[in-house]
Amino acid sequence: MVKGFIKAKTKGGYPCNKSIDPKAVMPMIEIIVSIISGVLTLVGVCLTAWFSNRRTAGEVAAKLDVTQAVTDARLSELTREVREHNHFARRMPVVEEQIKVINHRILDLEKEAK
């Protein structure tokens, strides 16, 4: 090898007359190294995000189950309260009618007592 030059070889391994300038090769090597670094960084970020989301998805599913159970319990309680209220709402007209009858009887008894 000649100082500062790399001898190029042909397919058969015999030296050819062309020499490659290392200054011309260095930018190409830097570009290749940069591309490899970028690809490996991208793969690392993608894997980290995937594993993080996979773990987070399980946690979210567990929290969702708990939240759904609480919501179901609250809904059942509200349903019970609404049914109880509706029961009273159906009975109120009957009670009001009974109060009217009682008031008329009281008035009639007061008239008879005088």
Side-chain angles (χ1 to χ4, degrees):
M1 280 208 291
V2 178
K3 186 177 182 182
F5 289 95
I6 301 172
K7 290 250 183 178
K9 293 187 177 184
T10 60
K11 289 184 180 180
Y14 298 108
C16 68
N17 294 331
K18 295 182 181 179
S19 296
I20 300 174
D21 185 9
K23 292 180 182 177
V25 173
M26 288 306 290
M28 192 63 158
I29 292 174
E30 291 173 356
I31 291 172
I32 292 171
V33 169
S34 298
I35 290 172
I36 291 172
S37 297
V39 168
L40 291 176
T41 302
L42 181 64
V43 168
V45 168
C46 290
L47 287 175
T48 302
W50 183 72
F51 281 115
S52 176
N53 285 338
R54 200 173 93 188
R55 181 176 39 96
T56 304
E59 292 171 0
V60 168
K63 287 180 183 179
L64 183 61
D65 290 342
V66 170
T67 304
Q68 186 64 39
V70 170
T71 302
D72 289 344
R74 287 181 179 171
L75 185 61
S76 297
E77 179 64 21
L78 285 172
T79 301
R80 186 191 62 77
E81 289 177 6
V82 166
R83 285 183 180 151
E84 187 177 315
H85 178 267
N86 287 343
H87 177 68
F88 287 126
R90 275 185 260 129
R91 292 191 60 206
M92 282 310 294
V94 174
V95 172
E96 287 174 352
E97 187 62 34
Q98 289 174 348
I99 290 172
K100 283 182 185 178
V101 170
I102 291 170
N103 283 335
H104 285 297
R105 285 185 182 174
I106 291 173
L107 287 175
D108 290 343
L109 288 173
E110 286 176 351
K111 285 181 184 177
E112 287 178 8
K114 288 185 187 179

